[in-house]
Amino acid sequence: MKIMVGGTFSPLHAGHKKLISRSFELAGPEGKVVIGLSSDAFAGRKSHPVMPYEERLAALERYVRSLPDKVRWEIEELNDRYGSALEADFDILVVSEETLPVALEINKLRRAKGKKMVEIYQIACVLAEDGRWISSTRIIRGEIDEAGHLIG
């Protein structure tokens, strides 16, 4: 199985880690995971500050190398919401509840181009101690840490 997953991953938190680790599980030992990482220019559209691409890349590589699954993987730079997902031959797009609309749009655009639609695998967002989603925005605001523990 060839799996695609993408994001800004700034900072890399428990929700991102669940998304990525599940992608590796779905790929299986003979599969491959392609992780799209937002470029600085594309990530600059976020409503909160974003770490530089090279720092996000290094954190992502460290995390992927720590996974027990020995699956082939690569990281590609994303300059828009779709990356190579409109053209690439792959099986599953792994998304969160938050990014499901983009996945649906990708399949719509693939169909319009005569490409096969891909399976969409949605994971539930990881909740912080207070029962709300762990998000980069909440971490940057100082409400929670990367594991979802309340601060203060």
Side-chain angles (χ1 to χ4, degrees):
M1 298 284 257
K2 184 173 177 185
I3 311 296
M4 294 189 92
V5 61
T8 302
F9 306 119
S10 180
L12 186 64
H13 59 64
H16 296 140
K17 290 176 178 179
K18 178 180 178 183
L19 190 74
I20 293 164
S21 64
R22 188 67 185 122
S23 297
F24 276 73
E25 291 167 9
L26 289 168
E30 302 301 315
K32 181 177 182 178
V33 177
V34 176
I35 304 169
L37 179 61
S38 299
S39 67
D40 285 334
F42 182 53
R45 299 176 178 176
K46 292 274 189 184
S47 60
H48 58 74
V50 174
M51 295 163 33
Y53 181 86
E54 292 303 322
E55 289 179 33
R56 294 181 286 120
L57 178 63
L60 195 52
E61 288 175 336
R62 270 192 308 277
Y63 177 67
V64 169
R65 287 190 181 102
S66 77
L67 294 174
D69 303 303
K70 297 305 171 208
V71 174
R72 290 180 304 126
W73 57 277
E74 70 179 75
I75 297 173
E76 68 176 33
E77 189 171 12
L78 294 178
N79 293 303
D80 58 36
R81 299 188 313 168
Y82 314 119
S84 63
L86 298 181
E87 301 296 334
D89 181 28
F90 68 104
D91 303 294
I92 300 175
L93 185 58
V94 180
V95 298
S96 68
E97 297 167 54
E98 191 177 24
T99 57
L100 177 63
V102 176
L104 297 172
E105 190 176 343
I106 285 170
N107 260 343
K108 182 179 175 184
L109 293 168
R110 285 178 67 87
R111 185 174 56 232
K113 289 175 169 258
K115 298 269 186 197
K116 78 172 179 77
M117 293 175 55
V118 295
E119 183 179 338
I120 297 171
Y121 186 92
Q122 178 187 317
I123 65 155
C125 287
V126 177
L127 302 179
E129 285 178 336
D130 60 3
R132 295 172 49 213
W133 287 359
I134 294 176
S135 71
S136 297
T137 302
R138 294 189 68 205
I139 294 166
I140 290 163
R141 286 184 186 151
E143 297 173 25
I144 58 173
D145 65 14
E146 285 89 350
H149 302 293
L150 295 173
I151 296 175

